[in-house]
Amino acid sequence: MSSLVEAVVALGYGVASALVPIVNAEAYAVVAGQRGGHALVAVLALALGQTAGKLLLFESARRGSGRLALKIAKRAQSGRAATRAARWTEPIRRWLSRRRTALPTVLASAAVGVPPLAVVSIAAGTAGLRRWEFAVACLSGRVIRFALLVLPAVLA
């Protein structure tokens, strides 16, 4: 597969995985690394796609439709998962409202996955975080995450 096709597929997969929880970007990154070839292109495109998708969540929350997104997410989750999500939401919103903790929270969430990036994206939109700051932190964290997943497969 050419690098352009790989980039387009990875970009689309990244957007889909950012919006649909059952689509796993990490699995795609590992498979791309095992195939070799254009692993760096796949990592960058996947991270860009994920960031674009999370920016959609961010903007929907910022413009006031975040409540609708949360309702849909809660209906899709079981009672236990909804309780866990509610437990994360308020502390995240508090962390994101402070300048000194907002960007590290987004970066940690994007790189490690704790707290969940979908929740952070929505909370960041409602907390008033600047769009470009969120995008840079999210993209940086996603590149780190996917590169660390691909690295062992590329080196093997």
Side-chain angles (χ1 to χ4, degrees):
M1 193 173 348
S2 74
S3 62
L4 179 60
V5 172
E6 178 82 28
V8 170
V9 170
L11 184 70
Y13 200 90
V15 172
S17 68
L19 301 173
V20 181
I22 61 171
V23 179
N24 193 329
E26 287 80 1
Y28 185 91
V30 170
V31 170
Q34 289 176 343
R35 281 192 323 222
H38 308 289
L40 179 61
V41 171
V43 164
L44 293 176
L46 195 58
L48 277 171
Q50 276 262 310
T51 302
K54 297 306 180 186
L55 275 169
L56 287 173
L57 293 176
F58 176 88
E59 282 300 320
S60 69
R62 172 174 266 178
R63 293 172 191 239
S65 57
R67 282 178 250 140
L68 175 62
L70 285 175
K71 278 185 181 179
I72 292 169
K74 283 186 180 181
R75 283 187 188 154
Q77 296 174 343
S78 67
R80 227 170 146 187
T83 304
R84 278 194 310 252
R87 186 177 32 187
W88 277 106
T89 305
E90 191 51 41
I92 292 170
R93 190 173 293 142
R94 241 188 347 256
W95 295 329
L96 292 172
S97 66
R98 297 183 199 128
R99 301 286 307 157
R100 70 175 186 269
T101 57
L103 292 179
T105 301
V106 174
L107 184 63
S109 176
V112 180
V114 176
L117 187 56
V119 175
V120 169
S121 300
I122 293 169
T126 61
L129 190 63
R130 292 182 182 130
R131 182 182 307 113
W132 71 270
E133 290 176 338
F134 173 80
V136 168
C138 184
L139 180 63
S140 301
R142 291 278 103 177
V143 167
I144 292 166
R145 181 177 183 90
F146 297 140
L148 288 174
L149 288 170
V150 167
L151 191 62
V154 170
L155 295 176

